[in-house]
């Protein structure tokens, strides 16, 4: 079945008979779609919509086939090489399943560290993708650093760091400094969430959904005149929306 999809993509990229839009794409132009499809997979999972998940996984698979096809055209690798590489990696990282080695988190990390070293970058932070959402990447960087012992011993130290960063935000004396300090503050909040065992990306995603739900309820309650209401009236509608959720 995958061969059919690979063949379809090859036809779409055919220089003479292909689709003009598909032919015009390159790795950089397709990358945002790849990220978007991954988020849509996560969204379908969050909503528990299995029919939608099936479709979104197909869209994500198409992205892999698309990138692989462009790489094959450039003489780098083909889709079969992608499959072989991930198969080799999974077997290599699970010696307790596919070999005679022992498993466990320490063995997994040791194997990954060896892979990073083989690529010429032995840093504990190597391989944390730049394309990740910023909150997710911050958490991953912090977790990697923590494995080396560079971490707060408990959540209190991480919480105190937030107060320190808030003070530095207040003291910022330029737009550049303000942006820099806000970044440090967000990084510190992610660190505190991590120490509390909270996934910051999931927490913010939930906060976004909650805000959208309540804001839409405010708009529905006010009708066409919502935008014309003063802030006090909007705050009252917000309070009603929160109360309605509690009573539901």
């Amino acid at each position: 079945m995958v061969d059919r999809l690979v063949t379809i993509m090859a036809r779409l990229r055919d220089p003479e008979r292909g689709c003009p839009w598909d032919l015009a794409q390159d790795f950089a132009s397709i990358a945002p779609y790849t990220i978007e499809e991954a988020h849509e997979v996560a969204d379908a999972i969050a909503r528990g919509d299995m029919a939608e998940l099936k479709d979104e996984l197909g869209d994500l698979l198409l992205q892999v086939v698309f990138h692989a096809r462009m790489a094959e055209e450039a003489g780098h690798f083909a889709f079969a090489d992608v499959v072989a590489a991930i198969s080799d990696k999974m077997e290599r990282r699970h010696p307790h399943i596919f070999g005679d080695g022992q498993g466990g988190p320490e063995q997994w990390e040791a194997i990954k560290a060896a892979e990073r070293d083989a690529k010429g970058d032995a840093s504990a932070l190597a391989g944390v993708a730049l394309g990740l959402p910023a909150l997710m990447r911050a958490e991953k960087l912090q977790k990697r650093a923590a494995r080396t012992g560079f971490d707060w011993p408990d959540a209190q130290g991480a919480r105190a760091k937030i107060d320190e960063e808030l003070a530095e935000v207040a003291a910022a004396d330029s737009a550049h400094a303000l942006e820099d300090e806000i970044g440090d503050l967000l990084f510190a909040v992610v660190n505190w969430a991590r120490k509390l065992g909270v996934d910051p990306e999931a927490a913010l995603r939930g906060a976004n959904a909650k805000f959208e739900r309540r804001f839409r309820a405010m708009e529905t309650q006010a009708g066409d005149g919502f935008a014309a209401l003063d802030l006090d009236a909007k705050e009252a509608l917000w309070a009603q929306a929160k109360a309605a959720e509690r009573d539901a």
Side-chain angles (χ1 to χ4, degrees):
M1 296 297 289
V2 175
D3 289 344
R4 179 186 174 196
L5 182 58
V6 171
T7 300
I8 289 171
M9 180 50 65
R11 176 64 183 276
L12 291 172
R13 293 277 299 181
D14 184 279
E16 296 181 359
R17 301 182 299 162
C19 169
W21 186 90
D22 290 282
L23 284 167
Q25 305 311 309
D26 57 24
F27 295 114
S29 67
I30 288 297
Y33 295 101
T34 307
I35 295 170
E36 179 181 346
E37 295 300 348
H39 283 301
E40 290 182 359
V41 166
D43 181 65
I45 292 171
R47 291 184 286 105
D49 189 334
M50 291 298 104
E52 188 71 13
L53 177 59
K54 178 191 68 176
D55 288 343
E56 297 301 345
L57 286 171
D59 291 343
L60 185 57
L61 177 59
L62 175 63
Q63 296 297 308
V64 177
V65 171
F66 205 145
H67 285 286
R69 178 61 197 178
M70 291 188 291
E72 183 175 5
E73 293 167 358
H76 300 308
F77 57 83
F79 180 76
D81 300 310
V82 174
V83 175
I86 187 59
S87 298
D88 291 345
K89 182 185 294 184
M90 295 307 292
E91 289 178 349
R92 184 171 64 250
R93 291 184 178 180
H94 294 82
H96 56 301
I97 303 297
F98 301 105
D100 298 327
Q102 296 180 347
E106 293 183 359
Q107 178 71 4
W108 174 273
E109 290 305 324
I111 293 171
K112 290 178 67 177
E115 291 172 355
R116 292 194 296 269
D117 187 52
K119 292 180 179 179
D121 188 349
S123 171
L125 304 182
V128 181
L130 290 171
L132 287 172
L135 286 181
M136 187 181 297
R137 189 164 194 270
E139 183 187 26
K140 284 184 174 293
L141 289 171
Q142 291 166 7
K143 285 182 175 179
R144 289 283 190 88
R147 291 171 189 157
T148 72
F150 187 66
D151 194 16
W152 298 107
D154 52 44
Q156 291 181 346
R159 175 62 184 85
K161 185 65 175 177
I162 292 175
D163 290 334
E164 177 185 327
E165 297 299 346
L166 278 169
E168 293 181 3
V169 168
D173 57 2
S174 69
H176 176 75
L178 181 61
E179 179 180 350
D180 188 59
E181 297 301 344
I182 288 290
D184 290 346
L185 175 60
L186 290 172
F187 194 85
V189 171
V190 170
N191 218 359
W192 189 37
R194 180 179 62 85
K195 298 300 290 185
L196 293 175
V198 174
D199 179 344
E201 188 74 25
L204 184 56
R205 191 161 51 242
N208 288 342
K210 180 167 57 179
F211 177 84
E212 182 178 8
R213 186 172 62 247
R214 291 175 179 176
F215 191 87
R216 287 179 179 274
M218 293 165 60
E219 291 178 313
T220 299
Q221 185 69 19
D224 294 339
F226 175 74
L229 295 175
D230 62 23
L231 183 57
D232 288 340
K234 289 186 174 76
E235 288 283 1
L237 287 173
W238 179 264
Q240 290 177 26
K242 288 180 63 176
E245 286 189 357
R246 289 195 300 267
D247 297 338

